[in-house]
Amino acid sequence: PRVIVGMGTCGIAAGAKKVWEAISQEIRRQNLDVEVRQTGCLGMCHREVLVEVRIPGQPKVIYGNISPESVKRIVQEHLVEGRIVKDLVVGMEAEKGTLLEGMPLLEENPFWSKQLRLVTRNCGIIDPDSIDDYLKAGGYQSLRRVLAEYTPEEVIAEVKNSGLRGRGGGGFPTGIKWESTRNAVGDRKYVICNADEGDPGAFMDRSILEGDPHAVIEGMIIAAYAVGARDGYIYIRAEYPLAVHRLMRAIDQARERNFLGDNILGSGFNFHLYIKQGAGAFVCGEETALIASIEGNRGMPRPRPPFPATKGLWDRPTNINNVETYANIPVIFRIGASEFASIGTEQSKGTKVFAVTGKVKKTGLVEVPMGITLREIIFDICGGIKDDKKFKAVQIGGPSGGCLPEQHLDLPVDYDSLISAGAMMGSGGLVVLDENTCMVELARYFLQFTRNESCGKCTPCREGLKRLLEILNRIVNGKGEKGDLDRLITLGSVIINTSLCGLGQSAPNPVLSTIRYFRSEYEMHIEKKF
Ligand code: SF4
């Protein structure tokens, strides 16, 4: 028998370490032959601490909201007496009919049934510190197949056929990006993983790295083989210590098993992978600033072109993708490009991982097929609005994204639909807002964030965001003037059109989208009716 404790950052924040100690102690005290293991985030952050009990031949049972005090009941009633602790059960995985009456089945729980877990398939299931767990789950099979059966050009063709687009926000076709780096002239080439996730409310990449680090490493090795790179870097913020720790261990293990290093699996292909920890500047998520930071320079963007594919790290051709994009690669080579391309919509293939936070009943990490509606994510999967208040809007795409009101709840979630509605996919943060949220204050919050994070290199962003914030501050403080809304719109458009990098080019989006959909709230502030 096994007891598995959810030890992602979310679980640990909810007290998983104490639960782990209490379980280990109780098992020792009772002298039981039970293994205690850890896993990453299962996605149900709202039910942490999660504990799973697996007894051979019996249904897998997941318990939620576990405290050190409730541990004794699980050990005594479930492990010793063989009775499921009904009032603590989140769900069970079993055939219908084999369960006690009234027990919730995992597959019938809408939190699970509407998800399609491809990228996060191992998160919350395997021990992320164990390469053997990853191998047992089919890990590194895609790499083996690629090295044995594919030329680099065939790898790129397969990724192109899959329709995979970058999951970091831009949505650029991954295969075309790889092809540009492959075709670029250079004596050395690099691959970089952008793990500098910094949007408020976003934790998709952290959860993937904490729950299944080998999947990202495997994706990077395949990318390196395709583009012809010998070295790779994972650029990760130092505020993610658990993810850094698990990545370091995973890289060591992969090296020991010859998935990294020289002559990988006897193929003649060499690839070395390093971690570079960033200091947490939001702008370092922009690829040219990220490259500058790895080079030891101040993390500031530079104009593009030249693009990193031709002139990147140390002026060499460089392929940059984010964590989730790389984690999709082993999936593509396991299920095949055509099956992957059959998931999602015409222009947006596969799945997307979202971090759902805010005024929603079930916060957490969800992975859904592209094309699902916002309503399905917020109401079916995440249970609707907390305390049964009214839905007001959803902020999608982080500080670069926009706020969508109720009339867009049935919008399919794909790159192009979101842009046409004035928002963007971004990296996958979804902040749900209820009727009590002041949209002007919300816009101000995001603008404060981008103003603080502006690197100051170009005038429209450095000065323009300050002026935008001044106007918003006076509106919020009841000192708004006639004409302020027009000033916000004009200045916001100038900043978007003239800033150097994506930070400035998208920072006014929360302001402009809230004016577009909640103009009356601004007007009421200005007319001092609030
Ligand atoms: Fe720096 Fe902002 Fe200009 Fe980007 S847009 S280079 S963050 S000042």
Side-chain angles (χ1 to χ4, degrees):
R2 268 187 187 178
V3 176
I4 302 165
V5 183
M7 302 274 272
T9 294
C10 46
I12 291 171
K17 281 188 177 165
K18 285 196 174 138
V19 167
W20 168 286
E21 279 161 25
I23 290 177
S24 307
Q25 214 173 14
E26 193 57 21
I27 284 171
R28 270 199 309 275
R29 195 182 69 76
Q30 299 227 29
N31 203 17
L32 302 174
D33 183 17
V34 175
E35 192 183 5
V36 185
R37 301 199 64 184
Q38 64 166 357
T39 188
C41 173
L42 194 62
M44 296 181 119
C45 304
H46 57 287
R47 295 300 302 267
E48 294 286 1
V49 176
L50 290 163
V51 169
E52 187 187 316
V53 175
R54 283 186 212 171
I55 298 177
Q58 292 184 21
K60 158 177 144 180
V61 181
I62 297 176
Y63 294 109
N65 300 108
I66 299 305
S67 64
E69 292 70 44
S70 47
V71 156
K72 275 195 176 167
R73 290 187 58 205
I74 294 176
V75 174
Q76 182 60 34
E77 293 176 33
H78 195 155
L79 291 169
V80 177
E81 297 166 18
R83 281 186 290 121
I84 291 165
V85 190
K86 277 186 183 178
D87 54 308
L88 298 177
V89 171
V90 168
M92 306 177 56
E93 197 175 67
E95 292 294 315
K96 282 181 200 171
T98 64
L99 299 171
L100 298 170
E101 191 127 340
M103 281 293 179
L105 277 172
L106 276 178
E107 60 261 38
E108 286 177 357
N109 183 335
F111 188 84
W112 299 108
S113 57
K114 286 215 161 187
Q115 290 199 48
L116 180 58
R117 288 166 54 97
L118 296 179
V119 168
T120 55
R121 68 198 177 282
N122 292 329
C123 295
I125 309 291
I126 65 168
D127 178 351
D129 278 342
S130 165
I131 193 170
D132 290 320
D133 268 23
Y134 184 65
L135 291 169
K136 265 186 230 150
Y140 290 110
Q141 286 299 332
S142 294
L143 176 65
R144 283 184 194 281
R145 195 168 310 133
V146 161
L147 293 180
E149 299 170 17
Y150 288 71
T151 64
E153 289 76 13
E154 286 168 345
V155 172
I156 290 171
E158 188 77 354
V159 174
K160 274 179 157 178
N161 291 339
S162 75
L164 178 67
R165 293 169 67 175
R167 300 295 194 242
F172 192 80
T174 305
I176 293 178
K177 206 174 196 183
W178 288 17
E179 190 172 51
S180 307
T181 311
R182 170 130 204 111
N183 291 342
V185 179
D187 55 343
R188 290 187 84 137
K189 294 182 183 176
Y190 297 98
V191 291
I192 294 177
C193 175
N194 184 348
D196 192 55
E197 181 175 62
D199 296 6
F203 48 89
M204 304 74 54
D205 293 349
R206 175 176 59 68
S207 299
I208 293 170
L209 289 170
E210 287 177 2
D212 197 13
H214 284 287
V216 180
I217 294 170
E218 186 176 1
M220 285 189 78
I221 305 168
I222 293 171
Y225 173 73
V227 305
R230 282 193 318 192
D231 298 289
Y233 289 86
I234 301 175
Y235 187 88
I236 180 167
R237 50 183 48 229
E239 290 109 318
Y240 281 1
L242 184 62
V244 171
H245 169 81
R246 288 190 175 153
L247 265 176
M248 282 176 170
R249 182 169 296 200
I251 289 173
D252 286 345
Q253 291 172 344
R255 207 180 286 127
E256 279 164 22
R257 305 289 178 99
N258 192 216
F259 297 118
L260 283 172
D262 291 333
N263 193 20
I264 294 174
L265 302 174
S267 64
F269 170 59
N270 307 328
F271 180 61
H272 298 265
L273 188 56
Y274 311 95
I275 292 176
K276 166 76 183 171
Q277 294 187 51
F282 181 63
V283 73
C284 285
E286 198 279 342
E287 55 188 19
T288 59
L290 185 154
I291 286 172
S293 179
I294 295 179
E295 290 171 341
N297 299 316
R298 184 171 168 185
M300 275 182 150
R302 61 156 175 79
R304 297 175 303 174
F307 289 94
T310 51
K311 207 170 179 200
L313 188 61
W314 292 297
D315 289 341
R316 294 340 203 292
T318 302
N319 179 73
I320 305 187
N321 290 122
N322 95 323
V323 170
E324 191 182 334
T325 312
Y326 282 124
N328 266 288
I329 300 300
V331 177
I332 291 171
F333 287 91
R334 210 186 57 210
I335 67 175
S338 53
E339 191 174 336
F340 186 90
S342 71
I343 302 163
T345 65
E346 189 56 36
Q347 298 298 326
S348 303
K349 307 291 189 190
T351 61
K352 179 77 194 85
V353 182
F354 288 101
V356 189
T357 56
K359 301 295 172 65
V360 75
K361 284 182 185 159
K362 298 177 187 170
T363 53
L365 196 76
V366 303
E367 183 178 355
V368 287
M370 296 271 195
I372 195 170
T373 64
L374 285 167
R375 190 186 298 280
E376 287 173 286
I377 297 177
I378 295 167
F379 285 89
D380 297 349
I381 297 177
C382 295
I385 308 303
K386 242 185 208 159
D387 304 325
D388 292 322
K389 292 207 167 123
K390 255 188 91 186
F391 170 88
K392 186 167 195 178
V394 56
Q395 163 74 18
I396 181 163
S400 318
C403 277
L404 297 178
E406 194 166 6
Q407 72 244 41
H408 286 303
L409 273 178
D410 294 310
L411 193 74
V413 175
D414 63 57
Y415 293 99
D416 311 297
S417 307
L418 288 172
I419 286 174
S420 66
M424 62 189 279
M425 181 86 79
S427 53
L430 275 181
V431 184
V432 180
L433 310 162
D434 71 8
E435 55 190 313
N436 292 348
T437 312
C438 168
M439 301 309 286
V440 187
E441 287 189 29
L442 182 92
R444 181 173 70 157
Y445 167 78
F446 280 110
L447 199 69
Q448 265 168 348
F449 177 84
T450 40
R451 191 275 318 260
N452 290 345
E453 295 293 336
S454 166
C455 80
K457 182 169 181 172
C458 66
T459 313
C461 171
R462 184 186 63 235
E463 300 301 326
L465 295 183
K466 273 189 202 155
R467 301 289 91 82
L468 264 192
L469 189 57
E470 274 170 15
I471 301 171
L472 271 183
N473 273 332
R474 75 172 174 245
I475 293 176
V476 170
N477 295 331
K479 293 180 180 150
E481 296 167 7
K482 237 179 167 235
D484 271 353
L485 280 187
D486 290 338
R487 282 185 202 102
L488 286 174
I489 293 169
T490 309
L491 182 54
S493 310
V494 169
I495 295 170
I496 286 174
N497 290 324
T498 55
S499 289
L500 174 60
C501 84
L503 192 154
Q505 287 161 8
S506 57
N509 285 350
V511 183
L512 298 183
S513 68
T514 46
I515 293 177
R516 179 169 166 190
Y517 294 120
F518 301 95
R519 193 181 178 98
S520 61
E521 286 196 25
Y522 282 83
E523 288 167 347
M524 284 170 83
H525 270 287
I526 292 171
E527 290 160 16
K528 301 176 189 47
K529 288 188 182 156
F530 268 139

